[in-house]
Amino acid sequence: MGERKKILLTSAVTVMAVSLCVGWGAIWTLYRAEFSVQRDRLLTMLDGQARLMESVARFDAAHSQDVHPDGPRAATLDQILDAHRRPWEFGETGEVVVGYRVEDHIEFLTELRFPMPGERRSIAIDSELAEPMRRALAGERAWTVGPDYRGETVLAVFEPVAALDLGLVAKIDLAEVRAPVVRGAVIVTFTALVFAFVGAIVSLQISNRLVQRIEEGQARISAVLASAVDPIIAIDSRGIVQSASESVEHVFGWRPDEIIGRNVNVLMPSPYREEHDSYLANYLRTQERKIIGIGREVLGRRKDGSEFPMDLSVSEARIGTERIFTGIVRDSTERGKAEEQILNLTRRVRLATESAEIGIWDYEIEDNILIWDDRMYALYGIRQEDFSGAYNAWTEGVHPEDLPRAQSVLQDAIASGTAFHCQFRVKWPSGEVRDIQAHAVCLRGSDGTVRRMIGVNWDITEEKRAKDLLEALNLKLKQQAAQLITEKERAEQADHVKSAFLAAMSHELRTPLNSIIGFTGILLEGLAGPLNEEQNKQLGMVWASADHLLDLINDVLDISKIEAGQLEVDRRSFDLRAAVNKVVVTATPLAEKKTVALRAHIAPEVGQIVSDRRRVEQILLNLVGNAIKFTEEGEVHVECEVNQRWAVMRVTDTGVGIKPEDMNQLFEPFRQIDDGLGRQREGTGLGLSICQKLAGLLGGEVTAESRWGVGSTFTVRLPLGKAAGGTQ
């Protein structure tokens, strides 16, 4: 590569890098601003709704005692449900949910915009997904970023409605908040690349044909990116859909990829569907316009066949010799519903403000005119005839200690044109001090400057006192929780030391027991000389007792090793069929002794498995032994099969079964379940606990199903594993 080309290439890369740095810096700033705007908008909206609900609740409490059979609170909840029969939604993903606590879970009062798994309408109170609603029900008013009930990351603000024991959460997907910024980032990145590439093209004298293709691509992208919230569809001169925005699915029910490449008349009802192609051909021939460049209300057809009115505007663009028609659609059926909702909301606000002790004020900034309603006079403890109607009427009522801060917040809101939110105290002429919450919005004039503010005040004295008390209680609870955690850690450490001690002591006990068993066996076999009948009987009792004690110590050793983290598993490839058969053969004498039928069925596909054969046989033998022990008559059935990547073994018996109330204690160590016959079975109560823990070490699990008086089924699921072996 020549020096000239190197310089030109370096210049192109530098231009691109600088453009990207500047553009991404601006995008980051815009993102932070967009996030703050969305958060403040949600806080303002939610705060107003909470105040409105509390106002309606207080009104119903005062005037609706006999209107509803369940009382004024139920009347208020019915009004909320009537106002929000459909999901309370905004934007593409935003919604407001109302919830209340029922024992250890949260119930949603209003419809959810998105379905929950299993069509549930509740969520556990301690779930991470319930954090905003849980905190709202705890009396907090704040915002957070985290997962919602769908698991999507959202920006959520929350507010309590103390009068109704409700919580309000307004949330919007973080992806939607980022969307404008992401589009801006794409445009900035694309623009930077285009600048660098075009510079390289000019510098390196690329052919005019390539430049023309780039210009055509830019024009096509510009046409597609001329998007809005409403669905956008681009078609060619044959009526074939070239692109469609994501919002098409919301309005028409079609996913964009389902209609791209198809004739746009699939979105039209008859007879317009059949006439569309001829209309388009007539326009191309005569240039006679009926919709293009004009716009009008037409009928649309959804994927399910339903029809709806919509506003359609169509523009035409030429890209080289090709014509692209871009249509923007707006479902006009929602407009009438929205107007009705606004009217109803206005009536409710008027009713609430008149009955809920919320004061409304209006401040003309340039003319220094302050207008209060009747409730404002009561909030500030003055008479209407003593009100001057100017800005200083407010400053005279604010507590002197809070006045500088309140004035500063107010002036900042006026200067920036943002919402005014402030808490301050007012001092009545009588000397009484009350806490006030104030909210207001700024209204701009035609020149863009703030000319007017409209806001509300309400008394939060009792609420603030309750909040201070709650914060003190929360602090005390946190201190107690920290103390409990410390005690828990100490207990766990002590339990670990206990398990290690038992594991070591079990080894010391097994050595002499093995000697007792061995020498007793020698005597019983007559290797040390003949024994009489009584000696055989006594030595047999010694041997049986020592063997039973050894089994108990082995169980204690196993459970102690597992809890101390000292048990090793040796994963090797072995024949599972042979292992199952070995267990069945081993357990057969025990079954024959009790006249219990022991049957086995091993599926043909059962073969090699990678696991610890000794531990697998130990698990299965323990389960089969338990089944025989608790079965007085009938049979014990052992099954083995392969299910995808798992080996599944089942042990089914016709014994006494397990009571439902005992199922949750089944796998607890040192726990023996009552068989209902008043008999104490032999053993330590460690067998099932060891089986479950061993299965967990092998990457599997042991589960149980039982019906009292019918029998039980224990299922062991173990992974088939990989071909390699080793010790863990």
Side-chain angles (χ1 to χ4, degrees):
M1 182 183 292
E3 290 299 323
R4 177 178 176 80
K5 291 185 177 181
K6 289 182 179 179
I7 293 174
L8 292 174
L9 183 58
T10 302
S11 300
V13 172
T14 302
V15 169
M16 181 177 65
V18 171
S19 300
L20 286 174
C21 290
V22 173
W24 279 100
I27 290 300
W28 174 245
T29 302
L30 289 174
Y31 171 68
R32 294 179 62 184
E34 177 67 16
F35 185 89
S36 298
V37 169
Q38 287 281 10
R39 180 194 63 203
D40 292 344
R41 181 173 67 86
L42 293 180
L43 283 169
T44 301
M45 176 185 68
L46 205 61
D47 188 78
Q49 291 296 331
R51 301 285 76 76
L52 175 60
M53 289 183 182
E54 290 186 341
S55 300
V56 174
R58 286 193 289 268
F59 176 80
D60 287 340
H63 302 285
S64 302
Q65 294 290 340
D66 301 324
V67 173
H68 198 283
D70 295 329
R73 182 177 183 273
T76 304
L77 294 180
D78 284 349
Q79 293 183 61
I80 294 174
L81 288 174
D82 288 341
H84 305 289
R85 291 185 181 276
R86 297 182 59 189
W88 192 347
E89 58 189 50
F90 56 88
E92 295 183 5
T93 62
E95 65 175 320
V96 178
V97 295
V98 182
Y100 58 94
R101 180 170 181 172
V102 179
E103 296 181 353
D104 61 348
H105 63 278
I106 292 174
E107 293 282 348
F108 294 112
L109 182 63
T110 54
E111 292 292 330
L112 301 178
R113 183 171 188 174
F114 304 98
M116 292 184 66
E119 298 185 357
R120 295 180 292 110
R121 289 185 56 81
S122 65
I123 190 169
I125 189 71
D126 56 354
S127 169
E128 179 188 6
L129 309 181
E131 179 188 355
M133 186 61 75
R134 180 174 63 247
R135 292 174 65 183
L137 292 173
E140 293 187 50
R141 177 183 181 273
W143 63 275
T144 186
V145 174
D148 67 353
Y149 61 85
R150 302 167 295 152
E152 295 291 336
T153 301
V154 299
L155 165 62
V157 301
F158 46 89
E159 175 97 15
V161 185
L164 297 172
D165 293 328
L166 299 178
L168 293 181
V169 176
K171 64 180 187 66
I172 185 171
D173 284 9
L174 206 57
E176 182 175 349
V177 177
R178 294 172 178 159
V181 179
V182 171
R183 288 195 293 270
V186 171
I187 294 173
V188 167
T189 303
F190 179 76
T191 303
L193 292 173
V194 169
F195 283 163
F197 195 55
V198 170
I201 290 173
V202 174
S203 302
L204 299 176
Q205 297 180 351
I206 303 282
S207 65
N208 290 333
R209 177 59 180 167
L210 186 57
V211 174
Q212 181 181 357
R213 288 182 179 179
I214 293 174
E215 291 175 347
E216 291 176 355
Q218 288 176 325
R220 183 176 285 107
I221 292 173
S222 297
V224 174
L225 292 180
S227 60
V229 177
D230 299 317
I232 298 177
I233 303 172
I235 64 173
D236 61 15
S237 57
R238 297 173 300 148
I240 304 301
V241 177
Q242 302 297 309
S243 64
S245 64
E246 294 295 329
S247 51
V248 166
E249 183 175 4
H250 176 68
V251 174
F252 290 95
W254 295 87
R255 296 195 312 272
D257 60 295
E258 291 180 317
I259 61 171
I260 292 177
R262 302 182 64 173
N263 196 300
V264 73
N265 61 18
V266 299
L267 306 179
M268 305 174 187
S270 297
Y272 309 107
R273 177 189 303 180
E274 294 77 13
E275 297 174 353
H276 179 263
D277 289 346
S278 60
Y279 164 73
L280 187 58
N282 181 67
Y283 168 74
L284 294 174
R285 184 178 65 257
T286 65
Q287 299 298 305
E288 180 183 354
R289 299 187 175 190
K290 295 183 179 179
I291 296 181
I292 297 174
I294 302 172
R296 67 179 183 183
E297 184 172 275
V298 297
L299 285 178
R301 184 175 184 271
R302 298 187 179 92
K303 186 178 181 179
D304 60 7
S306 61
E307 299 178 8
F308 65 98
M310 66 182 191
D311 295 325
L312 173 64
S313 60
V314 181
S315 61
E316 178 184 5
R318 290 180 178 269
I319 302 177
T321 58
E322 185 178 359
R323 290 184 174 183
I324 295 294
F325 300 93
T326 302
I328 301 177
V329 174
R330 174 168 295 173
D331 187 342
S332 57
T333 58
E334 297 299 325
R335 185 171 56 210
K337 296 179 181 178
E339 291 173 353
E340 181 65 23
Q341 289 177 352
I342 291 173
L343 180 59
N344 290 335
L345 181 59
T346 301
R347 292 169 179 167
R348 292 177 181 274
V349 168
R350 183 182 300 113
L351 177 62
T353 55
E354 290 175 352
S355 61
E357 300 180 347
I358 295 178
I360 301 177
W361 53 270
D362 190 338
Y363 178 39
E364 297 284 351
I365 299 173
E366 288 188 356
D367 298 330
N368 190 28
I369 298 175
L370 183 61
I371 301 173
W372 283 3
D373 69 354
D374 293 340
R375 181 57 194 163
M376 287 293 293
Y377 302 127
L379 289 174
Y380 284 77
I382 64 174
R383 298 177 302 175
Q384 183 173 357
E385 54 267 26
D386 296 329
F387 178 62
S388 65
Y391 177 76
N392 64 338
W394 173 68
T395 59
E396 291 172 357
V398 178
H399 196 288
E401 295 178 1
D402 295 349
L403 181 59
R405 176 178 56 83
Q407 284 185 307
S408 176
V409 175
L410 179 66
Q411 294 304 320
D412 288 344
I414 294 174
S416 60
T418 56
F420 168 62
H421 304 289
C422 189
Q423 288 184 10
F424 51 83
R425 293 171 296 170
V426 296
K427 188 173 183 180
W428 290 3
S430 64
E432 183 177 352
V433 176
R434 307 293 293 179
D435 289 283
I436 297 294
Q437 175 71 55
H439 289 310
V441 295
C442 295
L443 303 179
R444 300 178 183 272
S446 58
D447 58 354
T449 60
V450 176
R451 301 292 183 87
R452 181 182 175 192
M453 296 185 75
I454 298 178
V456 294
N457 281 185
W458 66 91
D459 193 318
I460 60 168
T461 304
E462 300 304 325
E463 178 184 338
K464 193 171 184 302
R465 291 172 182 169
K467 182 178 179 182
D468 292 341
L469 178 60
L470 182 62
E471 290 176 351
L473 291 175
N474 283 338
L475 178 60
K476 185 176 181 180
L477 287 175
K478 289 178 181 178
Q479 293 171 346
Q480 293 176 344
Q483 183 178 0
L484 289 175
I485 291 172
T486 301
E487 295 298 330
K488 176 178 175 291
E489 292 173 349
R490 291 176 181 171
E492 289 175 347
Q493 184 178 6
D495 185 67
H496 185 76
V497 172
K498 178 268 296 180
S499 297
F501 172 75
L502 288 176
M505 287 303 298
S506 295
H507 280 293
E508 298 299 325
L509 293 172
R510 282 205 305 180
T511 300
L513 274 176
N514 282 324
S515 297
I516 293 172
I517 293 171
F519 287 119
T520 305
I522 291 174
L523 293 175
L524 287 171
E525 291 175 2
L527 298 179
L531 301 173
N532 59 38
E533 182 178 351
E534 182 63 24
Q535 288 172 332
N536 266 312
K537 177 181 177 183
Q538 296 297 332
L539 286 174
M541 293 172 62
V542 171
W543 186 89
S545 298
D547 186 63
H548 177 63
L549 183 57
L550 182 60
D551 287 340
L552 299 183
I553 291 174
N554 283 335
D555 285 346
V556 172
L557 177 60
D558 283 343
I559 197 69
S560 300
K561 278 186 173 182
I562 292 172
E563 292 181 350
Q566 299 175 358
L567 187 71
E568 294 182 349
V569 292
D570 185 15
R571 287 187 171 85
R572 304 283 179 183
S573 179
F574 68 91
D575 187 354
L576 181 59
R577 177 183 295 273
V580 175
N581 282 326
K582 178 182 176 182
V583 171
V584 173
V585 171
T586 303
T588 296
L590 178 61
E592 291 175 346
K593 184 178 179 180
K594 294 191 65 176
T595 65
V596 173
L598 177 60
R599 296 185 175 86
H601 173 74
I602 305 175
E605 66 270 15
V606 175
Q608 294 293 315
I609 180 177
V610 177
S611 193
D612 189 325
R613 177 169 182 164
R614 174 169 169 260
R615 299 302 180 184
V616 172
E617 290 177 355
Q618 180 181 354
I619 294 171
L620 189 57
L621 186 59
N622 195 308
L623 296 178
V624 173
N626 276 357
I628 295 172
K629 180 166 62 174
F630 286 94
T631 301
E632 298 301 327
E633 61 181 14
E635 66 176 17
V636 174
H637 191 201
V638 180
E639 298 177 88
C640 184
E641 63 182 11
V642 174
N643 185 0
Q644 296 180 350
R645 295 177 297 174
W646 298 87
V648 181
M649 294 167 282
R650 298 185 185 88
V651 178
T652 303
D653 63 62
T654 59
V656 296
I658 303 168
K659 296 178 180 179
E661 59 267 25
D662 291 332
M663 290 296 292
N664 61 345
Q665 305 173 2
L666 196 58
F667 293 100
E668 293 183 7
F670 303 105
R671 175 77 70 175
Q672 286 190 322
I673 303 302
D674 181 17
D675 62 1
L677 301 177
R679 293 178 293 184
Q680 181 68 30
R681 304 287 182 173
E682 292 183 353
T684 60
L686 290 173
L688 289 178
S689 179
I690 291 173
C691 289
Q692 188 184 57
K693 294 180 183 294
L694 286 177
L697 288 175
L698 297 176
E701 64 177 356
V702 178
T703 58
E705 298 176 356
S706 182
R707 291 179 59 191
W708 175 246
V710 177
S712 305
T713 298
F714 286 82
T715 303
V716 183
R717 298 178 72 251
L718 296 175
L720 296 178
K722 300 181 180 178
T727 299
Q728 179 178 340

